[in-house]
């Protein structure tokens, strides 16, 4: 199982439309390649039929090949359907392929089995195939019941927690960069504590 996220990032609604179009194209390619694709999570755009992001689970012999083909920076060249007079025709969005979690991560997670809920018929009502996984250090928790077997739900839960941890690390890194930029901008230009002079950089 592979996780792939398509995202419009900070781009305008044309990029969100590109993500929605890309999803339809990807599903067509997946069908031809006999790759099973399930939508795990999605964030709608402000315009009808658009997607800011969509998280997909791909499974099958050619799943990795398909996911790699949709990874990285992606471009849609088209006049804006929302702003006809707008001169821009290049709209960028991205695909992110999530790496398999390290083997050590599983030891940091508490798994609980529980009864699946919602639609699914007799199978859902009579088996404890759903899994709740909690990352003990961070408190991140996910519940997965989309797969028929407990083992598959456990594997997907592990992937989702790895993704959340990666996103949290990226957010922390971005905050640190923002703090550095702010401190650089606020650097006091006068009243130095120490002064160094010349090529030899001496006080």
């Amino acid at each position: 199982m592979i996780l792939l996220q398509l995202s419009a990032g900070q781009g305008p609604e044309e990029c969100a439309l590109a993500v929605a179009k890309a999803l339809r194209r990807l599903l067509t390619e997946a069908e031809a390649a006999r790759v099973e694709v399930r939508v795990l999570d999605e964030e709608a755009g402000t315009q009808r039929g658009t997607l800011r992001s969509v998280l997909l689970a791909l499974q099958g012999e050619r799943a990795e090949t398909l996911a790699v083909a949709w990874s990285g920076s992606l471009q849609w060249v088209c006049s804006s359907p929302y702003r006809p007079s707008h001169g821009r025709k290049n709209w960028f969005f991205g695909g992110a392929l999530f790496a398999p979690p390290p083997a050590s991560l599983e030891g940091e997670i508490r798994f609980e089995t529980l009864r699946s809920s919602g639609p699914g018929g007799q199978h859902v009502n009579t088996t404890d195939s759903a899994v709740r996984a909690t990352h003990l250090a961070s408190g991140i928790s996910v519940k997965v019941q989309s797969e028929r077997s407990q083992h598959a739900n456990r594997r997907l839960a592990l992937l989702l927690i790895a993704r959340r941890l990666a996103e949290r690390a990226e957010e922390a890194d971005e905050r640190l960069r923002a703090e550095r930029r702010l401190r650089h901008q606020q650097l006091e230009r006068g009243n130095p504590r120490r002064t160094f002079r010349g090529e030899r950089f001496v006080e």
Side-chain angles (χ1 to χ4, degrees):
M1 188 181 301
I2 293 172
L3 292 186
L4 174 70
Q5 186 170 39
L6 299 177
S7 172
Q10 300 300 314
E13 277 306 289
E14 289 85 354
C15 298
L17 178 58
V19 170
K21 288 179 176 293
L23 175 60
R24 291 195 291 271
R25 173 66 181 267
L26 187 152
L27 291 174
T28 299
E29 292 181 5
E31 186 177 3
R34 296 183 179 179
V35 172
E36 181 187 351
V37 179
R38 288 187 312 289
V39 175
L40 301 177
D41 188 31
E42 64 181 27
E43 179 187 347
T46 57
Q47 295 283 345
R48 184 176 180 182
T50 63
L51 288 170
R52 297 303 308 173
S53 69
V54 59
L55 179 65
L56 307 168
L58 283 65
Q59 197 161 13
E61 196 173 311
R62 298 174 64 187
E64 185 174 358
T65 301
L66 180 64
V68 168
W70 284 95
S71 298
S73 180
L74 305 166
Q75 181 182 16
W76 177 41
V77 181
C78 184
S79 297
S80 170
Y82 307 126
R83 299 176 285 174
S85 60
H86 194 61
R88 180 177 168 186
K89 293 185 178 180
N90 295 303
W91 313 103
F92 291 91
F93 61 106
L97 177 61
F98 290 91
S104 59
L105 180 61
E106 190 165 359
E108 302 170 15
I109 295 174
R110 182 179 69 242
F111 293 95
E112 303 169 74
T113 58
L114 51 151
R115 185 69 51 91
S116 295
S117 59
Q122 186 177 1
H123 173 81
V124 165
N125 295 329
T126 59
T127 62
D128 292 336
S129 60
V131 170
R132 178 180 288 115
T134 304
H135 185 249
L136 299 175
S138 67
I140 293 173
S141 180
V142 298
K143 178 185 174 183
V144 180
Q145 61 179 37
S146 58
E147 305 297 315
R148 280 191 168 269
S149 75
Q150 184 185 124
H151 175 74
N153 280 328
R154 184 184 174 109
R155 187 158 56 112
L156 180 52
L158 188 63
L159 286 169
L160 289 172
I161 284 183
R163 169 180 169 264
R164 297 253 185 107
L165 287 170
E167 288 178 341
R168 182 173 288 191
E170 287 175 8
E171 289 171 2
D173 190 48
E174 179 55 37
R175 282 196 299 271
L176 184 59
R177 285 197 297 267
E179 286 177 10
R180 287 173 180 165
R181 286 194 297 268
L182 184 61
R183 287 181 183 178
H184 177 73
Q185 292 165 1
Q186 293 176 340
L187 183 64
E188 189 177 1
R189 299 299 177 183
N191 193 26
R193 174 172 294 186
R194 299 177 69 185
T195 301
F196 301 90
R197 304 181 189 280
E199 289 291 332
R200 295 176 60 193
F201 198 74
V202 294
E203 288 185 272

